[in-house]
Amino acid sequence: MSLQEIQDRIAAEEARAGRAQGETRLIAVSKVQPDARVEAVLEQGHRIFGENKVQEAAGKWPDFKERFDGVELHLLGPLQTNKTKQAMALFDVIHSLDRPKLAQKLAALSQELGHCPDLFIQINTGKEAQKAGVMPDEADAFIAECRELDLPVIGLMCIPPAEEEPSLHFALLAKIAKRNELEGLSMGMSGDFERAIAQGATHIRVGSAIFGARDYG
Ligand SMILES: *Cc1c(COP(=O)(O)O)cnc(C)c1O
């Protein structure tokens, strides 16, 4: 699907849901995609991209950033504590803050570097053992802890379980955000971004629908 088609679908859903046009930020998830496909989307004027791995992003984005002005890069995947400093240099926004140790590391490095990317706290809305994220019933306490550390938390992020209706998870995420007075909602991917917009997503993360299937071979 073309970038334009995705943008049209976003605009249509914003209208249908009674939301302001352009309120949803589209993060084009470029992980694993060949550089030529990413470059084509940059050429079309898109500037907001998401990656899953620090190492992979470090390999391709410094060059793209030199050639294209105004790139905004989002880290969507798990962040190891020992890669935090590198991630803070490379990414404008981190969506995977999910544990106290990482919060403390981000706070310490913020002091040292004098800046910190905007942060989303990842919530494990499906309580899946293998998935990252703070458990829903621990979210309020963790958000408070991050605020005490003066971290720039702007919202919450979730990845619903593959086999469940995502809308229920989006609604839960929105509810936790609202009671904690957080505005950002990072939710919705290629298969469900319209349902996420209906539930108030501010940031949708769309990969394969824009770039085509990822070839992990
Ligand atoms: C890969 C990925 C996406 C994009 O997935 P698509 O189904 O290709 O749109 C979104 N969010 C996260 C956290 C991802 O890892």
Side-chain angles (χ1 to χ4, degrees):
M1 211 169 291
S2 71
L3 178 66
Q4 186 59 52
E5 281 174 280
I6 300 289
Q7 285 164 339
D8 291 346
R9 280 171 60 185
I10 293 168
E13 183 59 32
E14 284 174 340
R16 205 199 57 78
R19 300 190 49 196
Q21 289 291 302
E23 201 175 66
T24 316
R25 290 172 83 76
L26 171 62
I27 302 170
V29 184
S30 50
K31 66 182 183 203
V32 188
Q33 299 289 353
D35 284 355
R37 288 193 197 164
V38 181
E39 189 163 335
V41 171
L42 280 160
E43 295 282 3
Q44 290 169 64
H46 196 74
R47 289 295 180 268
I48 311 175
F49 290 85
E51 288 284 344
N52 246 36
K53 296 189 172 150
V54 177
Q55 224 53 44
E56 186 186 339
K60 62 190 190 201
W61 281 100
D63 180 48
F64 279 142
K65 280 187 179 179
E66 227 166 74
R67 294 170 49 216
F68 296 90
D69 280 338
V71 168
E72 183 183 302
L73 203 56
H74 294 243
L75 177 64
L76 310 177
L79 178 55
Q80 289 168 256
T81 317
N82 65 1
K83 297 220 175 94
T84 310
K85 194 168 188 177
Q86 192 184 7
M88 289 172 79
L90 192 57
F91 292 96
D92 302 289
V93 187
I94 294 173
H95 292 239
S96 48
L97 172 52
D98 62 354
R99 59 194 191 280
K101 197 174 164 212
L102 180 57
Q104 284 150 20
K105 184 82 182 184
L106 284 162
L109 285 169
S110 300
Q111 290 282 320
E112 183 187 320
L113 306 170
H115 84 97
C116 186
D118 284 339
L119 302 169
F120 285 86
I121 294 173
Q122 183 173 352
I123 308 291
N124 189 349
T125 57
K127 303 186 187 175
E128 294 173 278
Q130 79 285 8
K131 202 166 270 177
V134 180
M135 290 298 164
D137 55 1
E138 290 163 11
D140 295 358
F142 185 63
I143 293 164
E145 190 177 339
C146 292
R147 284 180 165 150
E148 281 197 8
L149 289 168
D150 267 334
L151 290 174
V153 174
I154 62 166
L156 304 179
M157 178 272 229
C158 76
I159 308 170
E163 66 288 357
E164 287 179 29
E165 169 51 48
S167 291
L168 302 173
H169 294 271
F170 298 155
L172 173 59
L173 196 72
K175 187 174 128 191
I176 298 170
K178 184 154 191 255
R179 71 169 180 246
N180 285 283
E181 293 174 7
L182 285 169
E183 285 182 5
L185 287 172
S186 167
M187 57 192 198
M189 319 200 324
S190 289
D192 55 21
F193 68 83
E194 277 136 330
R195 278 172 283 180
I197 292 170
Q199 298 283 343
T202 58
H203 295 65
I204 58 173
R205 313 178 305 264
V206 181
S208 43
I210 295 174
F211 296 104
R214 286 179 288 276
D215 181 2
Y216 288 95

